[in-house]
Amino acid sequence: MRFKVEDWEKEIRKEPFASSPFQDQHKQNVLRQVEWMKSGEEHVYDAPDYKQKQHTMKRNRRTVRSRPRKVVVVTTVAVVAAAAILWNGQVLEPIVEKVYPVSALQLSDDPSMNLLTNKMKRIVAITMRDYLGKQLLITKVKHMPISGRVYLEAGSERDGEYAFIWLDAGTGDLREVEMRTEMEGSELEHRFLRQVPGLLKGINSDPTLKPISARRYVKMKQGQEEPVWFTTLFLENEKGSGSIEWTRDEAVSVSGTVSTDTVSKDLVTNARSTIEALSGEPAPALKSVTFTQNDKQLEETTSLYFGDRYLVRSVGGRFSNEYTVMDFQRGLPDFVTIEDHEQYIEKLLTLDEKIIRQNAAPIIQKMFGVDLDKYTFERDTNNVGMATFRLEEMDNMIQIRYEEDARITMITISDL
Protein backbone atom coordinates (compact mmCIF):
# COMPACT_ATOMS: atom_id res chain seq x y z
CA MET A 1 0.00 0.00 0.00
CA ARG A 2 2.95 2.31 0.55
CA PHE A 3 3.77 2.32 -3.17
CA LYS A 4 0.21 3.34 -4.00
CA VAL A 5 0.26 6.11 -1.41
CA GLU A 6 3.49 7.52 -2.77
CA ASP A 7 2.06 7.58 -6.28
CA TRP A 8 -1.10 9.29 -5.09
CA GLU A 9 0.92 11.87 -3.19
CA LYS A 10 2.54 12.75 -6.50
CA GLU A 11 -0.82 12.90 -8.25
CA ILE A 12 -2.54 15.18 -5.76
CA ARG A 13 0.29 17.69 -6.06
CA LYS A 14 -0.75 18.08 -9.71
CA GLU A 15 -3.92 19.58 -11.15
CA PRO A 16 -6.40 20.71 -10.00
CA PHE A 17 -4.43 21.55 -6.84
CA ALA A 18 -1.46 23.05 -8.71
CA SER A 19 -1.34 26.39 -10.53
CA SER A 20 -0.48 25.10 -14.01
CA PRO A 21 -3.27 24.60 -16.59
CA PHE A 22 -5.29 21.38 -16.25
CA GLN A 23 -3.97 18.99 -18.88
CA ASP A 24 -5.87 16.15 -20.55
CA GLN A 25 -2.92 13.82 -19.89
CA HIS A 26 -3.30 14.31 -16.15
CA LYS A 27 -7.03 13.70 -16.43
CA GLN A 28 -6.34 10.33 -18.02
CA ASN A 29 -3.65 9.56 -15.43
CA VAL A 30 -6.12 10.14 -12.60
CA LEU A 31 -8.69 7.82 -14.14
CA ARG A 32 -6.05 5.15 -14.70
CA GLN A 33 -4.94 5.49 -11.07
CA VAL A 34 -8.51 4.84 -9.91
CA GLU A 35 -8.74 1.68 -12.00
CA TRP A 36 -5.27 0.62 -10.87
CA MET A 37 -6.20 0.97 -7.20
CA LYS A 38 -9.35 -1.09 -7.72
CA SER A 39 -7.55 -3.87 -9.58
CA GLY A 40 -4.67 -3.76 -7.11
CA GLU A 41 -7.00 -4.43 -4.17
CA GLU A 42 -8.55 -7.40 -5.96
CA HIS A 43 -5.14 -8.94 -6.63
CA VAL A 44 -4.13 -8.51 -3.00
CA TYR A 45 -7.17 -10.38 -1.67
CA ASP A 46 -6.61 -13.22 -4.15
CA ALA A 47 -2.89 -13.61 -3.39
CA PRO A 48 -1.80 -16.95 -1.77
CA ASP A 49 0.12 -15.26 1.02
CA TYR A 50 -2.68 -12.88 1.93
CA LYS A 51 -3.64 -14.78 5.11
CA GLN A 52 -0.01 -14.93 6.19
CA LYS A 53 0.30 -11.18 5.78
CA GLN A 54 -2.89 -10.67 7.78
CA HIS A 55 -1.45 -12.78 10.59
CA THR A 56 1.81 -10.83 10.54
CA MET A 57 -0.08 -7.53 10.73
CA LYS A 58 -2.01 -8.70 13.77
CA ARG A 59 1.23 -9.63 15.54
CA ASN A 60 2.64 -6.20 14.83
CA ARG A 61 -0.57 -4.29 15.49
CA ARG A 62 1.16 -1.66 17.59
CA THR A 63 3.67 -0.94 14.85
CA VAL A 64 0.96 -0.80 12.22
CA ARG A 65 -1.21 1.50 14.34
CA SER A 66 1.64 3.93 14.76
CA ARG A 67 1.65 4.69 11.00
CA PRO A 68 -1.82 4.41 9.45
CA ARG A 69 -3.06 7.89 10.40
CA LYS A 70 -0.93 9.48 7.67
CA VAL A 71 -1.67 6.64 5.24
CA VAL A 72 -5.44 6.87 5.81
CA VAL A 73 -5.45 10.66 5.42
CA VAL A 74 -3.46 10.58 2.19
CA THR A 75 -5.55 7.72 0.80
CA THR A 76 -8.78 9.52 1.71
CA VAL A 77 -7.60 12.68 -0.02
CA ALA A 78 -6.69 10.61 -3.09
CA VAL A 79 -10.11 8.96 -3.24
CA VAL A 80 -11.90 12.28 -2.77
CA ALA A 81 -9.71 13.84 -5.45
CA ALA A 82 -10.60 11.05 -7.85
CA ALA A 83 -14.32 11.43 -7.11
CA ALA A 84 -14.57 15.23 -7.14
CA ILE A 85 -11.64 16.47 -9.20
CA LEU A 86 -12.29 19.68 -11.12
CA TRP A 87 -12.71 19.16 -14.86
CA ASN A 88 -13.15 22.29 -17.00
CA GLY A 89 -13.92 24.22 -13.82
CA GLN A 90 -16.78 21.93 -12.78
CA VAL A 91 -17.11 18.99 -10.41
CA LEU A 92 -16.57 15.68 -12.17
CA GLU A 93 -19.85 14.02 -13.06
CA PRO A 94 -20.55 10.35 -12.36
CA ILE A 95 -18.13 8.27 -14.40
CA VAL A 96 -20.82 6.57 -16.52
CA GLU A 97 -22.38 9.84 -17.65
CA LYS A 98 -18.94 11.40 -18.20
CA VAL A 99 -17.73 8.63 -20.49
CA TYR A 100 -21.10 8.06 -22.19
CA PRO A 101 -22.88 11.45 -22.11
CA VAL A 102 -25.43 10.47 -24.78
CA SER A 103 -28.25 11.93 -22.73
CA ALA A 104 -26.67 15.39 -22.98
CA LEU A 105 -26.82 15.37 -26.78
CA GLN A 106 -29.53 17.56 -28.32
CA LEU A 107 -31.25 16.10 -31.39
CA SER A 108 -33.94 17.76 -33.49
CA ASP A 109 -37.07 15.93 -34.68
CA ASP A 110 -35.69 15.57 -38.21
CA PRO A 111 -35.84 11.91 -39.41
CA SER A 112 -32.18 12.12 -40.49
CA MET A 113 -31.18 11.82 -36.82
CA ASN A 114 -31.71 8.05 -37.20
CA LEU A 115 -28.48 7.90 -39.23
CA LEU A 116 -26.50 8.41 -36.02
CA THR A 117 -25.44 5.25 -34.22
CA ASN A 118 -25.00 5.19 -30.44
CA LYS A 119 -21.24 5.40 -30.88
CA MET A 120 -21.61 8.43 -33.16
CA LYS A 121 -23.87 10.13 -30.64
CA ARG A 122 -21.38 9.48 -27.87
CA ILE A 123 -18.44 10.83 -29.90
CA VAL A 124 -20.36 13.93 -30.99
CA ALA A 125 -21.51 14.64 -27.42
CA ILE A 126 -17.97 14.26 -26.04
CA THR A 127 -16.49 16.39 -28.85
CA MET A 128 -18.89 19.27 -28.20
CA ARG A 129 -18.49 19.00 -24.44
CA ASP A 130 -14.69 18.84 -24.32
CA TYR A 131 -13.81 21.28 -27.09
CA LEU A 132 -16.77 23.63 -27.58
CA GLY A 133 -17.86 23.69 -23.94
CA LYS A 134 -21.57 23.23 -24.67
CA GLN A 135 -24.08 21.06 -26.56
CA LEU A 136 -25.69 22.60 -29.66
CA LEU A 137 -28.93 21.32 -31.18
CA ILE A 138 -28.19 19.02 -34.14
CA THR A 139 -30.41 20.12 -37.03
CA LYS A 140 -29.13 18.07 -39.97
CA VAL A 141 -27.51 14.68 -40.57
CA LYS A 142 -26.50 13.45 -44.03
CA HIS A 143 -24.96 10.22 -45.29
CA MET A 144 -22.18 10.78 -47.84
CA PRO A 145 -21.72 7.39 -49.58
CA ILE A 146 -18.93 8.51 -51.93
CA SER A 147 -16.62 9.61 -49.10
CA GLY A 148 -17.94 7.00 -46.68
CA ARG A 149 -18.84 9.62 -44.08
CA VAL A 150 -21.76 10.91 -42.07
CA TYR A 151 -22.00 14.70 -41.92
CA LEU A 152 -23.93 16.65 -39.31
CA GLU A 153 -24.73 20.29 -38.58
CA ALA A 154 -25.60 21.82 -35.22
CA GLY A 155 -26.47 25.34 -34.11
CA SER A 156 -26.60 28.23 -36.57
CA GLU A 157 -23.76 29.93 -38.41
CA ARG A 158 -25.89 33.08 -38.53
CA ASP A 159 -25.98 33.19 -34.71
CA GLY A 160 -22.22 32.66 -34.43
CA GLU A 161 -22.61 29.26 -32.75
CA TYR A 162 -22.34 26.23 -34.96
CA ALA A 163 -20.76 22.80 -35.37
CA PHE A 164 -19.94 20.96 -38.60
CA ILE A 165 -18.78 17.40 -37.89
CA TRP A 166 -17.75 14.58 -40.23
CA LEU A 167 -17.74 10.99 -38.93
CA ASP A 168 -16.59 7.72 -40.49
CA ALA A 169 -19.78 5.97 -41.60
CA GLY A 170 -18.35 2.54 -40.83
CA THR A 171 -16.54 3.02 -37.53
CA GLY A 172 -18.25 6.19 -36.26
CA ASP A 173 -14.86 7.77 -35.53
CA LEU A 174 -14.25 11.49 -35.82
CA ARG A 175 -12.77 12.66 -39.15
CA GLU A 176 -13.17 16.45 -39.44
CA VAL A 177 -14.54 19.21 -37.22
CA GLU A 178 -15.32 22.91 -37.50
CA MET A 179 -17.06 24.53 -34.53
CA ARG A 180 -17.51 28.03 -33.14
CA THR A 181 -19.23 29.52 -30.12
CA GLU A 182 -19.47 32.76 -28.16
CA MET A 183 -20.14 33.09 -24.46
CA GLU A 184 -20.10 35.44 -21.52
CA GLY A 185 -16.63 35.90 -20.07
CA SER A 186 -17.72 34.35 -16.78
CA GLU A 187 -18.83 31.18 -18.61
CA LEU A 188 -15.31 30.37 -19.79
CA GLU A 189 -13.77 27.29 -18.18
CA HIS A 190 -12.05 27.88 -14.85
CA ARG A 191 -8.71 26.59 -16.14
CA PHE A 192 -8.60 29.67 -18.41
CA LEU A 193 -10.06 32.26 -16.04
CA ARG A 194 -7.64 31.48 -13.21
CA GLN A 195 -4.70 32.36 -15.49
CA VAL A 196 -5.96 35.89 -16.24
CA PRO A 197 -4.50 37.92 -13.33
CA GLY A 198 -1.05 36.36 -13.66
CA LEU A 199 -0.91 36.80 -17.43
CA LEU A 200 -1.91 40.47 -17.17
CA LYS A 201 0.69 41.09 -14.46
CA GLY A 202 3.28 39.55 -16.75
CA ILE A 203 2.88 42.44 -19.23
CA ASN A 204 2.48 45.10 -16.50
CA SER A 205 -1.22 45.47 -17.23
CA ASP A 206 -4.09 45.76 -14.77
CA PRO A 207 -4.76 42.31 -13.22
CA THR A 208 -8.27 43.43 -12.21
CA LEU A 209 -9.53 43.62 -15.80
CA LYS A 210 -12.83 41.71 -15.89
CA PRO A 211 -13.82 39.04 -18.43
CA ILE A 212 -16.53 40.46 -20.69
CA SER A 213 -16.94 37.93 -23.48
CA ALA A 214 -15.18 34.92 -24.97
CA ARG A 215 -14.96 33.29 -28.37
CA ARG A 216 -14.05 29.66 -29.10
CA TYR A 217 -13.10 28.18 -32.47
CA VAL A 218 -12.39 24.48 -32.98
CA LYS A 219 -10.77 22.91 -36.06
CA MET A 220 -9.83 19.37 -37.04
CA LYS A 221 -8.65 18.63 -40.57
CA GLN A 222 -8.44 15.33 -42.39
CA GLY A 223 -5.50 13.33 -41.04
CA GLN A 224 -5.32 15.05 -37.65
CA GLU A 225 -5.72 12.84 -34.59
CA GLU A 226 -7.71 15.31 -32.48
CA PRO A 227 -9.27 18.79 -32.74
CA VAL A 228 -7.35 21.98 -32.00
CA TRP A 229 -9.24 24.72 -30.17
CA PHE A 230 -8.57 28.47 -30.11
CA THR A 231 -9.98 30.65 -27.34
CA THR A 232 -10.06 34.45 -27.13
CA LEU A 233 -11.14 36.24 -23.95
CA PHE A 234 -11.97 39.97 -24.01
CA LEU A 235 -11.41 41.98 -20.81
CA GLU A 236 -12.43 45.43 -19.66
CA ASN A 237 -12.96 47.76 -16.72
CA GLU A 238 -13.30 51.50 -16.20
CA LYS A 239 -9.52 51.96 -16.55
CA GLY A 240 -8.79 50.00 -19.72
CA SER A 241 -9.21 46.84 -21.76
CA GLY A 242 -7.33 43.79 -22.96
CA SER A 243 -7.55 40.33 -24.47
CA ILE A 244 -5.92 36.91 -24.10
CA GLU A 245 -5.65 34.19 -26.74
CA TRP A 246 -5.07 30.49 -26.11
CA THR A 247 -4.20 27.69 -28.52
CA ARG A 248 -5.49 24.57 -26.82
CA ASP A 249 -4.71 25.35 -23.15
CA GLU A 250 -1.58 27.42 -23.82
CA ALA A 251 -1.74 31.24 -23.70
CA VAL A 252 -0.09 32.50 -26.90
CA SER A 253 -0.99 36.21 -26.84
CA VAL A 254 -1.70 38.65 -23.99
CA SER A 255 -2.78 42.25 -24.52
CA GLY A 256 -3.78 44.96 -22.07
CA THR A 257 -3.77 48.64 -21.24
CA VAL A 258 -0.55 49.71 -19.49
CA SER A 259 0.57 52.90 -17.78
CA THR A 260 1.90 55.62 -20.09
CA ASP A 261 4.94 55.75 -17.79
CA THR A 262 6.05 52.36 -19.15
CA VAL A 263 6.59 53.81 -22.66
CA SER A 264 9.98 55.26 -23.60
CA LYS A 265 10.10 59.02 -24.19
CA ASP A 266 11.76 58.47 -27.57
CA LEU A 267 8.84 56.35 -28.77
CA VAL A 268 6.32 59.00 -27.70
CA THR A 269 8.36 61.80 -29.29
CA ASN A 270 8.67 59.93 -32.58
CA ALA A 271 4.96 59.10 -32.52
CA ARG A 272 4.06 62.77 -32.16
CA SER A 273 6.28 63.77 -35.09
CA THR A 274 4.78 61.10 -37.38
CA ILE A 275 1.24 62.22 -36.48
CA GLU A 276 2.15 65.82 -37.30
CA ALA A 277 3.64 64.71 -40.64
CA LEU A 278 0.49 62.74 -41.50
CA SER A 279 -2.06 65.33 -40.42
CA GLY A 280 -0.19 68.62 -40.78
CA GLU A 281 -1.37 69.53 -37.27
CA PRO A 282 0.07 69.24 -33.74
CA ALA A 283 -0.50 65.81 -32.19
CA PRO A 284 -3.13 65.66 -29.43
CA ALA A 285 -2.29 64.42 -25.95
CA LEU A 286 -1.35 60.78 -25.41
CA LYS A 287 -4.54 59.15 -24.11
CA SER A 288 -3.70 55.48 -23.55
CA VAL A 289 -1.19 52.74 -24.29
CA THR A 290 -1.78 49.06 -25.02
CA PHE A 291 0.94 46.42 -24.91
CA THR A 292 0.68 43.02 -26.60
CA GLN A 293 3.00 40.05 -26.15
CA ASN A 294 2.54 37.42 -28.83
CA ASP A 295 4.58 34.31 -28.09
CA LYS A 296 3.29 32.50 -31.17
CA GLN A 297 4.56 35.17 -33.56
CA LEU A 298 7.48 36.10 -31.28
CA GLU A 299 6.39 39.74 -31.40
CA GLU A 300 5.82 42.59 -28.95
CA THR A 301 3.50 45.42 -29.94
CA THR A 302 3.06 48.85 -28.35
CA SER A 303 -0.01 50.82 -29.47
CA LEU A 304 -0.24 54.52 -28.55
CA TYR A 305 -3.59 56.34 -28.82
CA PHE A 306 -3.48 60.11 -29.14
CA GLY A 307 -6.75 61.90 -28.48
CA ASP A 308 -9.74 60.20 -30.09
CA ARG A 309 -8.27 60.05 -33.56
CA TYR A 310 -4.70 58.84 -34.00
CA LEU A 311 -2.97 55.53 -33.47
CA VAL A 312 0.76 54.82 -33.62
CA ARG A 313 1.74 51.17 -33.45
CA SER A 314 5.27 49.80 -33.11
CA VAL A 315 5.84 46.07 -33.65
CA GLY A 316 9.13 44.45 -32.78
CA GLY A 317 9.64 40.80 -33.64
CA ARG A 318 12.19 38.14 -34.18
CA PHE A 319 11.54 38.03 -37.91
CA SER A 320 10.31 41.54 -38.75
CA ASN A 321 9.67 45.06 -37.50
CA GLU A 322 6.75 47.28 -38.39
CA TYR A 323 5.68 50.86 -37.67
CA THR A 324 2.19 52.29 -38.36
CA VAL A 325 0.66 55.74 -38.02
CA MET A 326 -3.07 56.01 -38.67
CA ASP A 327 -5.99 58.41 -38.56
CA PHE A 328 -8.52 55.78 -37.46
CA GLN A 329 -11.50 58.15 -37.64
CA ARG A 330 -11.09 58.47 -41.39
CA GLY A 331 -13.01 55.78 -43.21
CA LEU A 332 -15.66 55.29 -45.85
CA PRO A 333 -18.06 58.24 -45.97
CA ASP A 334 -21.80 57.74 -45.58
CA PHE A 335 -23.49 57.09 -48.90
CA VAL A 336 -27.09 57.97 -49.67
CA THR A 337 -27.42 55.58 -52.60
CA ILE A 338 -25.67 52.51 -53.99
CA GLU A 339 -24.69 54.59 -57.01
CA ASP A 340 -22.82 57.03 -54.74
CA HIS A 341 -20.89 54.15 -53.21
CA GLU A 342 -20.01 52.70 -56.61
CA GLN A 343 -18.80 56.08 -57.84
CA TYR A 344 -16.58 56.46 -54.78
CA ILE A 345 -15.03 53.02 -55.35
CA GLU A 346 -14.47 53.87 -59.00
CA LYS A 347 -12.57 57.05 -58.02
CA LEU A 348 -10.28 55.08 -55.73
CA LEU A 349 -9.57 52.49 -58.42
CA THR A 350 -8.83 55.01 -61.14
CA LEU A 351 -6.96 57.63 -59.09
CA ASP A 352 -3.72 58.35 -60.91
CA GLU A 353 -0.57 56.86 -59.41
CA LYS A 354 1.32 60.16 -59.86
CA ILE A 355 -1.17 62.01 -57.68
CA ILE A 356 -0.92 59.36 -54.94
CA ARG A 357 2.89 59.53 -55.08
CA GLN A 358 2.88 63.34 -54.93
CA ASN A 359 0.81 63.24 -51.73
CA ALA A 360 2.58 60.31 -50.06
CA ALA A 361 6.22 61.11 -50.91
CA PRO A 362 6.77 64.24 -48.74
CA ILE A 363 5.02 62.63 -45.73
CA ILE A 364 7.09 59.46 -45.95
CA GLN A 365 10.27 61.47 -46.50
CA LYS A 366 9.56 63.53 -43.38
CA MET A 367 8.68 60.48 -41.28
CA PHE A 368 11.35 57.99 -42.29
CA GLY A 369 13.73 59.78 -44.66
CA VAL A 370 12.75 57.42 -47.49
CA ASP A 371 12.80 58.40 -51.19
CA LEU A 372 9.76 56.85 -52.91
CA ASP A 373 11.26 57.25 -56.38
CA LYS A 374 13.14 53.99 -55.86
CA TYR A 375 9.94 52.10 -54.96
CA THR A 376 7.50 50.42 -57.33
CA PHE A 377 3.76 51.07 -56.92
CA GLU A 378 1.11 48.35 -56.56
CA ARG A 379 -2.59 48.70 -55.79
CA ASP A 380 -4.24 46.24 -53.39
CA THR A 381 -7.05 44.72 -55.43
CA ASN A 382 -8.56 43.04 -52.35
CA ASN A 383 -8.69 46.28 -50.33
CA VAL A 384 -9.81 49.27 -52.36
CA GLY A 385 -8.02 52.44 -51.26
CA MET A 386 -4.90 50.56 -50.18
CA ALA A 387 -1.58 50.52 -52.06
CA THR A 388 1.99 49.30 -51.51
CA PHE A 389 5.37 50.76 -52.44
CA ARG A 390 8.03 48.02 -52.71
CA LEU A 391 11.80 48.10 -52.78
CA GLU A 392 12.62 44.66 -54.12
CA GLU A 393 16.37 44.61 -53.63
CA MET A 394 16.06 45.45 -49.93
CA ASP A 395 12.94 43.32 -49.39
CA ASN A 396 10.98 45.99 -47.55
CA MET A 397 7.73 47.81 -48.27
CA ILE A 398 5.55 50.79 -47.35
CA GLN A 399 1.79 50.36 -47.29
CA ILE A 400 -0.59 53.33 -47.45
CA ARG A 401 -4.31 54.03 -47.29
CA TYR A 402 -5.64 56.89 -49.39
CA GLU A 403 -8.98 58.61 -50.07
CA GLU A 404 -10.58 59.71 -53.35
CA ASP A 405 -8.77 63.07 -53.22
CA ALA A 406 -5.42 61.26 -52.59
CA ARG A 407 -5.34 62.26 -48.92
CA ILE A 408 -3.13 59.79 -47.03
CA THR A 409 -4.74 58.47 -43.84
CA MET A 410 -2.43 55.58 -42.93
CA ILE A 411 1.20 54.62 -43.45
CA THR A 412 2.90 51.37 -42.46
CA ILE A 413 6.58 50.72 -43.05
CA SER A 414 7.89 47.16 -42.75
CA ASP A 415 11.38 45.75 -42.67
CA LEU A 416 10.86 42.11 -43.53
Side-chain angles (χ1 to χ4, degrees):
M1 187 64 188
R2 182 57 186 168
F3 175 74
K4 297 179 184 179
V5 171
E6 289 175 347
D7 267 22
W8 270 109
E9 287 177 339
K10 294 177 183 178
E11 290 299 322
I12 63 176
R13 290 193 182 98
K14 301 178 184 178
E15 288 296 319
F17 307 100
S19 59
S20 59
F22 187 33
Q23 300 294 330
D24 184 72
Q25 182 180 358
H26 173 64
K27 174 176 64 182
Q28 299 302 327
N29 287 342
V30 170
L31 295 176
R32 281 196 293 268
Q33 288 284 357
V34 173
E35 294 301 320
W36 177 75
M37 286 186 67
K38 291 178 180 178
S39 62
E41 289 175 358
E42 292 174 359
H43 291 316
V44 167
Y45 289 123
D46 293 337
D49 60 343
Y50 175 71
K51 293 183 178 181
Q52 180 64 34
K53 290 183 179 179
Q54 288 288 93
H55 180 69
T56 303
M57 289 179 65
K58 289 179 181 179
R59 288 190 330 186
N60 298 282
R61 185 170 298 174
R62 291 184 182 181
T63 305
V64 172
R65 285 181 178 177
S66 65
R67 296 185 304 170
R69 186 177 300 274
K70 178 180 179 182
V71 173
V72 169
V73 170
V74 173
T75 305
T76 303
V77 170
V79 173
V80 172
I85 193 169
L86 292 181
W87 192 343
N88 291 352
Q90 300 176 355
V91 176
L92 187 66
E93 298 171 6
I95 190 68
V96 174
E97 181 62 18
K98 204 64 182 178
V99 178
Y100 304 98
V102 178
S103 61
L105 195 64
Q106 300 180 33
L107 301 174
S108 66
D109 296 330
D110 193 281
S112 65
M113 301 298 118
N114 294 327
L115 294 172
L116 296 175
T117 64
N118 286 336
K119 180 179 179 180
M120 290 178 180
K121 292 177 183 178
R122 177 170 59 86
I123 290 177
V124 170
I126 291 175
T127 300
M128 287 192 189
R129 181 201 68 200
D130 287 354
Y131 299 106
L132 198 62
K134 62 171 61 177
Q135 300 290 343
L136 301 178
L137 176 66
I138 298 176
T139 57
K140 177 182 179 180
V141 179
K142 182 180 179 181
H143 182 232
M144 306 171 71
I146 296 179
S147 62
R149 297 183 178 191
V150 171
Y151 165 74
L152 67 87
E153 293 182 5
S156 171
E157 195 169 4
R158 181 188 308 171
D159 298 333
E161 290 192 328
Y162 60 85
F164 306 141
I165 300 176
W166 290 262
L167 303 161
D168 188 291
T171 65
D173 294 334
L174 205 61
R175 287 293 174 258
E176 292 188 57
V177 172
E178 182 179 337
M179 300 189 292
R180 185 184 186 279
T181 188
E182 295 181 358
M183 65 191 86
E184 297 290 331
S186 58
E187 295 176 353
L188 192 62
E189 293 94 334
H190 178 67
R191 69 179 188 272
F192 294 107
L193 292 178
R194 67 182 180 188
Q195 299 178 47
V196 171
L199 291 172
L200 292 173
K201 283 183 180 179
I203 63 168
N204 294 319
S205 187
D206 184 0
T208 65
L209 289 175
K210 302 299 181 183
I212 303 299
S213 62
R215 183 173 62 235
R216 170 76 49 75
Y217 181 70
V218 184
K219 186 75 173 180
M220 177 181 172
K221 298 181 180 179
Q222 173 67 27
Q224 291 182 321
E225 294 184 359
E226 62 179 14
V228 180
W229 61 99
F230 308 90
T231 306
T232 302
L233 175 64
F234 300 96
L235 307 140
E236 189 178 295
N237 63 14
E238 65 281 357
K239 298 179 182 179
S241 60
S243 64
I244 301 175
E245 298 178 17
W246 288 267
T247 298
R248 290 189 173 92
D249 288 344
E250 180 184 1
V252 296
S253 180
V254 184
S255 178
T257 301
V258 298
S259 171
T260 55
D261 296 335
T262 62
V263 184
S264 70
K265 293 182 179 180
D266 288 343
L267 181 57
V268 176
T269 300
N270 291 336
R272 291 184 183 280
S273 64
T274 54
I275 290 174
E276 292 171 2
L278 181 72
S279 65
E281 302 174 353
L286 178 60
K287 188 174 182 180
S288 64
V289 179
T290 299
F291 180 79
T292 302
Q293 180 176 298
N294 190 320
D295 292 338
K296 189 174 183 179
Q297 302 295 332
L298 299 177
E299 292 178 347
E300 292 185 349
T301 302
T302 303
S303 301
L304 298 88
Y305 295 87
F306 291 82
D308 297 319
R309 185 165 188 166
Y310 297 103
L311 164 66
V312 175
R313 177 180 294 123
S314 176
V315 181
R318 180 175 179 179
F319 304 107
S320 66
N321 295 296
E322 186 177 279
Y323 189 91
T324 298
V325 55
M326 176 194 304
D327 182 349
F328 59 80
Q329 278 198 350
R330 303 288 296 190
L332 287 176
D334 295 328
F335 302 104
V336 178
T337 65
I338 296 178
E339 289 76 14
D340 291 339
H341 180 263
E342 291 177 346
Q343 289 176 6
Y344 179 81
I345 298 300
E346 183 66 21
K347 288 180 180 179
L348 292 177
L349 291 172
T350 58
L351 189 61
D352 192 272
E353 175 188 335
K354 292 182 180 179
I355 299 176
I356 298 175
R357 280 184 176 273
Q358 288 174 0
N359 279 30
I363 299 175
I364 294 173
Q365 176 67 40
K366 188 174 182 179
M367 285 182 180
F368 312 114
V370 172
D371 183 3
L372 276 187
D373 291 340
K374 300 178 182 179
Y375 287 69
T376 59
F377 178 81
E378 179 184 314
R379 295 182 194 271
D380 189 339
T381 56
N382 296 321
N383 296 285
V384 179
M386 299 287 290
T388 301
F389 294 97
R390 296 184 182 276
L391 188 62
E392 300 296 341
E393 59 268 25
M394 295 188 65
D395 200 27
N396 65 356
M397 64 182 182
I398 300 174
Q399 189 177 43
I400 65 168
R401 185 179 68 193
Y402 60 91
E403 297 184 344
E404 81 280 6
D405 59 355
R407 174 173 178 171
I408 309 301
T409 58
M410 185 208 76
I411 298 176
T412 296
I413 185 168
S414 302
D415 182 13
L416 302 179

